[in-house]
Amino acid sequence: MADRHPTLKQTFADRARTAAHPLTRYLFRLMDLKASNLCLSADVTTARELLTLADKVGPSIVVLKTHYDLISGWDYNPQTGTGAKLAALARKHGFLIFEDRKFVDIGKTVQMQYTAGTARIIEWAHITNANIDAGKDMVRALAEAATKWKERIHYEVKTSVTVGTPVSDRFDDSDAQEQAQTRQRDDVDGRKGSIVSITTVTQSFEPADSPRLTKSHHDQGDDAVFPGIEEAPMDRGLLLLAQMSSKGCLMTREYTQACVEAAREHKGFVMGYVSQEALNSAPDDTFIHMTPGCKLPPPGEEENGQVEGDGLGQQYNTPSRLITICGTDIIIVGRGIIEAADPPSEAERYRRRGWKAYLGRLA
Ligand code: 6AU
């Protein structure tokens, strides 16, 4: 850990003023406002459970982490589907959505995986992460994809569809996609006749004045916004998977250092790291750290006691060790909360412990 880096002694409110990335600045403000440095790893198996959990635990967290590919019944509709519903809950409770996709591939492939396909992760996840084993160019590729996407969504696409017989001037519209279908049908007198119908899809772009992506929930009246802060900016952010919590992890010091270099080269897109310790070391490093492999001993037991792993390689540390000693900013907790008898009150217990550890670090 970078022992004496100034960010370790700065309040989240102060870091909200100095962080390089707009979404990191917003996240630090949210942390200060909600007195929370807790991320829920919502590793449940159905979309219904995910949305219920997000709604119940939302008040205690600042980040909700998903693995969309382990959720059955994920609805991919960009306006009304699971991503859009999560986005509405994020606005209502004041948290950011982090899709733990761990991209690792050549640049072109990760661009497509991030912005297209079934899930269209960029549309609903404020944050995602990448393993940079494939090389630093992949970070640039993701950053470019995010920039292009942001430029595009400053405009809302209005689509109108008309169906009918061709009218000559429609063919002059360069924005229109013309699709001609020729159908055969039997005429009344039994002779074969040919009917041509034309479907015209016209797209126009209008400025979108709100940072939200879909208006669907607005229309349905589910439009609550968390009080005390504006909606999250439209910027997208990346966390670099710099160190892992699992036993025998093969990520070397050199790999972690390459993450630090890649982060510095892409300050406008990289928010920080998923790591096991603070990695800020240069005087102007302002990155945020999120750390998984976090669990509290059961209520009533010694807070800093040992917490056993899960038998499948996962290793756990307590919030106080991760925040006070290792210097992380946000603890990522999955089964410690999800498997509790009452997840919302267990989330509150983690939030209080995480915040106490942060205040302890400042002192
Ligand atoms: O609290 P748990 O053990 O139930 O869940 C931890 C969550 C899981 C992992 O996929 C993820 O954190 N994770 C990550 C992430 C966030 O990238 C990195 C890592 O080193 N260890 C880890 O557990 O969803």
Side-chain angles (χ1 to χ4, degrees):
M1 182 184 45
D3 262 344
R4 313 189 83 83
H5 195 267
T7 49
L8 290 170
K9 287 284 179 193
Q10 268 173 1
T11 63
F12 293 142
D14 282 342
R15 289 172 71 183
R17 286 185 273 277
T18 52
H21 194 299
L23 200 54
T24 313
R25 292 199 290 273
Y26 180 86
L27 179 53
F28 278 130
R29 285 173 58 210
L30 208 49
M31 291 160 76
D32 184 54
L33 182 66
K34 293 181 80 172
S36 172
N37 49 356
L38 175 63
C39 165
L40 173 71
S41 182
D43 299 333
V44 290
T45 54
T46 67
R48 185 187 291 259
E49 281 175 280
L50 172 67
L51 295 171
T52 306
L53 188 67
D55 202 16
K56 287 193 170 153
V57 175
S60 302
I61 61 175
V62 283
V63 180
L64 179 109
K65 188 177 81 61
T66 53
H67 279 294
Y68 86 89
D69 56 355
L70 57 79
I71 305 277
S72 67
W74 186 280
D75 177 346
Y76 292 104
N77 186 307
Q79 269 79 42
T80 57
T82 309
K85 284 183 178 143
L86 266 186
L89 290 171
R91 285 193 293 274
K92 172 177 157 193
H93 292 298
F95 61 76
L96 298 182
I97 304 166
F98 164 19
E99 166 56 27
D100 185 2
R101 176 61 181 73
K102 296 186 180 73
F103 290 107
V104 54
D105 213 313
I106 59 165
K108 181 66 190 166
T109 302
V110 294
Q111 282 184 337
M112 293 165 78
Q113 289 170 321
Y114 187 27
T115 60
T118 44
R120 293 158 67 158
I121 292 166
I122 199 167
E123 304 277 339
W124 49 270
H126 304 96
I127 305 169
T128 190
N129 57 353
N131 172 331
I132 70 158
D133 266 330
K136 288 192 287 183
D137 278 359
M138 182 256 248
V139 178
R140 181 165 54 84
L142 287 170
E144 283 174 13
T147 304
K148 268 196 198 141
W149 173 83
K150 195 181 162 195
E151 283 164 9
R152 249 197 94 240
I153 47 88
H154 272 305
Y155 295 89
E156 206 177 9
V157 183
K158 296 271 173 195
T159 304
S160 61
V161 180
T162 52
V163 182
T165 40
V167 179
S168 59
D169 63 3
R170 284 216 188 112
F171 290 98
D172 296 336
D173 184 350
S174 57
D175 279 334
Q177 294 169 3
E178 312 291 353
Q179 201 183 44
Q181 299 167 332
T182 305
R183 287 185 282 147
Q184 298 286 321
R185 89 161 189 202
D186 284 337
D187 232 336
V188 262
D189 62 3
R191 282 184 298 122
K192 293 272 182 195
S194 177
I195 296 206
V196 177
S197 90
I198 299 286
T199 303
T200 307
V201 181
T202 309
Q203 291 193 322
S204 61
F205 294 84
E206 291 183 9
D209 50 11
S210 161
R212 73 190 51 194
L213 282 181
T214 71
K215 305 280 184 194
S216 56
H217 291 273
H218 181 82
D219 299 342
Q220 289 160 19
D222 186 6
D223 196 30
V225 176
F226 189 74
I229 193 163
E230 74 284 1
E231 290 181 38
M234 283 313 310
D235 302 79
R236 293 310 190 223
L238 185 72
L239 298 170
L240 299 181
L241 187 66
Q243 295 166 327
M244 289 197 70
S245 57
S246 44
K247 199 170 154 195
C249 168
L250 301 175
M251 288 169 176
T252 59
R253 269 173 190 279
E254 290 70 35
Y255 168 83
T256 303
Q257 188 52 34
C259 288
V260 170
E261 282 159 25
R264 289 176 185 155
E265 284 163 23
H266 297 282
K267 283 182 190 166
F269 182 52
V270 176
M271 298 171 70
Y273 311 98
V274 171
S275 59
Q276 291 296 302
E277 59 183 346
L279 298 174
N280 287 337
S281 59
D284 61 345
D285 281 346
T286 59
F287 299 106
I288 195 166
H289 307 84
M290 303 198 196
T291 301
C294 179
K295 226 176 197 181
L296 276 168
E301 282 185 24
E302 163 61 33
E303 176 173 347
N304 281 321
Q306 282 292 98
V307 186
E308 285 205 354
D310 68 354
L312 291 172
Q314 178 68 300
Q315 307 177 108
Y316 291 109
N317 283 297
T318 59
S320 98
R321 183 179 155 73
L322 291 174
I323 295 165
T324 315
I325 300 172
C326 304
T328 197
D329 302 306
I330 292 184
I331 46 170
I332 299 177
V333 183
R335 284 164 288 181
I337 292 173
I338 301 166
E339 292 179 356
D342 181 20
S345 63
E346 191 64 352
E348 263 300 289
R349 189 165 82 98
Y350 274 90
R351 185 196 62 77
R352 283 196 302 271
R353 295 298 173 87
W355 198 253
K356 190 175 154 199
Y358 153 69
L359 294 177
R361 186 173 87 197
L362 292 179

